[in-house]
Amino acid sequence: MLDLRLYMLQRLSALVMAPLVLGHLALMVYAVQGGISAGEILARTQGSLGWALYYGLFLVAAAIHAAIGLRVILAETLALRSRAFLDLFTLAVGAVFLILGLRALHAVTLA
């Protein structure tokens, strides 16, 4: 039952990420074609609560998606069946990705 829930959670995270990635790419293409540099984009988004929420949602979804995906890869590649180890691994990887992402988000967007 847990595997089904994780599968559904990973699919849900993909559904959240897809439009966010497309929006990000569209905005970057528009900005670059308009002659705006990466530095100018960062300057315009710093301190913006909207951008912080946008990228914050993306990083939460990405952390969930990646942690579950790595859990499956680890279980299948190494034939691990220890649910406790896989649970701990998934939580640890998800937490590390989330912490690193939030640090980067804070440094770039809210600083």
Side-chain angles (χ1 to χ4, degrees), residues 13-14 16-17 20 55-69 94 97-98:
S13 67
V16 169
M17 285 191 304
L20 296 174
Y55 287 109
L57 179 60
F58 174 79
L59 78 89
V60 169
I64 291 168
H65 191 83
I68 294 170
F97 287 165
L98 190 59

Side-chain angles (χ1 to χ4, degrees), residues 25-26 31 45 55 69 72 78 95 104 106-107:
L25 291 174
T45 59
Y55 287 109
V72 172
L78 301 178
H106 180 267

Side-chain angles (χ1 to χ4, degrees), residues 25-100:
L25 291 174
L27 182 64
M28 292 303 115
V29 168
Y30 175 77
V32 169
Q33 286 182 346
I36 299 173
S37 70
E40 290 172 307
I41 292 169
L42 283 176
R44 290 180 185 192
T45 59
Q46 276 187 321
S48 168
L49 180 60
W51 285 113
L53 292 174
Y54 184 89
Y55 287 109
L57 179 60
F58 174 79
L59 78 89
V60 169
I64 291 168
H65 191 83
I68 294 170
L70 289 173
R71 173 195 177 101
V72 172
I73 291 169
L74 187 65
E76 291 177 357
T77 304
L78 301 178
L80 291 177
R81 296 292 167 228
S82 170
R83 171 117 24 229
F85 176 78
L86 290 172
D87 290 347
L88 183 61
F89 174 81
T90 304
L91 288 173
V93 167
V96 167
F97 287 165
L98 190 59
I99 290 167
L100 292 174

